[in-house]
Amino acid sequence: MGALDIADRHARRQVVLARRAALEVARLWARVDRQQIGSSWAASVPAAVQVLGSAQAIAAASAGVYLDDLLDAYGLDSQPEGRVVAEAFAGVASDGRDLAGLLYQPAVSALMALKGGATEARAMAAGRFSADMIVRSQVADAGRVADGVALAVRPQLAGYVRMVVGGTCDRCLILAGRWYRWNAGFERHPRCDCRHIPASEDAAGDLRTDPKAAFEAMSAAEQERVFGKAGAEAIRDGADMARVVNARRGMQVVGQRRFTTEAAGRRPRLMPEQIYRDARDRDDAIRLLRLHGYIT
């Protein structure tokens, strides 16, 4: 199996995992007492944390196997300098926040919608959308960050190519196929499904895609759905795709200078992307990843 097929299979499994977790949390949300949204949902948050944390751990657990399969496809031996600790990616949001606090947000969204004059049904739908976005984003991030850690401890791989999964948005399309060094942060937005394809630099050319070709392969209706009518028309007329997109909106790098103290008595630890920024070199990054419990 080639690298693209391996990456595609891995990405789709992660998407399915995130979708299943989101459905489980949606079932919890459906039981909320509409007359006591805040307190009723607060009682369900521990169960939602358990669902999300379990999915995060499962997403992270596949990182080592994924990287080993890629190395095999490249004809390289896998000699990792550490093994990913899946549990280290569970129970905490990708920006360092506590999951319980983050998962209370659906109630806040619903209550704010009611305060703004929305019907009860629309308010509950707003809460469900918020829950869905949180769960899918956090499961995807746990998998992505674990993939990045698994990449960091395999020096044979110099970096990664960005892969778009399924239908995508304009922000992701203009980044599709780009090569990044192993320590580069992965830009993503809520519910982003894009993934890494780790590779040695000399193999990266075979994995890259052309955003312009992807745009031209879309129907006019799909182009306008992704880029907006005016944006799609401008690109068809020869405008630079990146300039069109960046004029409309921005990306974010999740995982800024935040710390987490996942459990009482444990040392505050840096998030992996902060480790990559602070490390002197790859060896130092591996040392810090081990120190903060991401690898053994």
Side-chain angles (χ1 to χ4, degrees):
M1 186 180 292
L4 282 172
D5 292 330
I6 292 168
D8 183 66
R9 182 180 63 179
H10 176 66
R12 293 186 186 283
R13 284 177 176 171
Q14 301 283 52
V15 169
V16 170
L17 174 63
R19 185 182 301 130
R20 288 176 177 169
L23 287 173
E24 287 297 319
V25 173
R27 291 188 184 99
L28 293 171
W29 177 253
R31 300 173 192 165
V32 166
D33 183 343
R34 298 187 179 197
Q35 303 307 310
Q36 303 179 65
I37 292 174
S39 60
S40 178
W41 179 240
S44 294
V45 165
V49 168
Q50 185 174 7
V51 170
L52 177 50
S54 296
Q56 287 177 313
I58 294 169
S62 64
V65 173
Y66 170 47
L67 271 290
D68 287 344
D69 287 346
L70 283 175
L71 282 164
D72 185 61
Y74 299 139
L76 299 172
D77 291 332
S78 181
Q79 298 176 338
E81 298 188 16
R83 295 288 181 183
V84 169
V85 178
E87 294 77 11
F89 301 87
V92 63
S94 51
D95 63 358
R97 278 185 287 174
D98 177 74
L99 278 190
L102 180 61
L103 280 168
Y104 188 72
Q105 184 60 42
V108 174
S109 297
L111 292 169
M112 290 297 292
L114 286 172
K115 186 176 181 180
T119 64
E120 187 179 86
R122 286 187 178 274
M124 292 301 292
R128 174 169 178 160
F129 178 81
S130 174
D132 184 89
M133 182 174 66
I134 289 167
V135 174
R136 294 193 189 214
S137 297
Q138 292 305 317
V139 174
D141 267 346
R144 267 189 296 251
V145 176
D147 288 348
V149 170
L151 166 61
V153 299
R154 288 166 170 79
Q156 311 96 310
L157 300 171
Y160 64 91
V161 175
R162 186 184 178 98
M163 178 179 72
V164 169
V165 179
T168 191
C169 68
D170 54 358
R171 289 169 286 176
C172 291
L173 186 60
I174 62 172
L175 299 179
R178 290 194 185 183
W179 165 261
Y180 298 88
R181 299 293 298 174
W182 65 272
N183 56 348
F186 196 99
E187 292 183 295
R188 64 265 196 190
H189 55 78
R191 292 187 68 175
C192 176
D193 286 331
C194 294
R195 310 294 305 188
H196 312 74
I197 312 181
S200 57
E201 195 161 8
D202 59 356
D206 296 334
L207 303 173
R208 296 183 182 178
T209 57
D210 181 356
K212 181 66 173 177
F215 174 84
E216 291 173 350
M218 296 177 178
S219 66
E222 183 70 5
Q223 290 171 349
E224 291 173 6
R225 182 191 69 78
V226 174
F227 293 91
K229 187 172 182 179
E233 184 174 350
I235 295 169
R236 287 194 290 263
D237 288 343
D240 180 81
M241 190 183 302
R243 288 181 179 274
V244 170
V245 173
N246 290 332
R248 297 174 64 210
R249 64 189 76 163
M251 292 286 287
Q252 63 181 336
V253 178
V254 181
Q256 301 298 325
R257 289 185 175 268
R258 304 286 182 88
F259 297 83
T260 177
T261 56
E262 286 181 285
R266 292 185 62 177
R267 74 167 73 221
R269 59 177 191 158
L270 291 172
M271 304 303 285
E273 287 169 327
Q274 183 59 46
I275 287 174
Y276 304 149
R277 285 192 290 270
D278 290 350
R280 295 187 301 273
D281 52 31
R282 198 163 189 161
D283 288 340
D284 191 39
I286 291 171
R287 180 186 65 81
L288 290 170
L289 287 169
R290 183 170 287 111
L291 176 67
H292 290 283
Y294 293 107
I295 60 173
T296 56

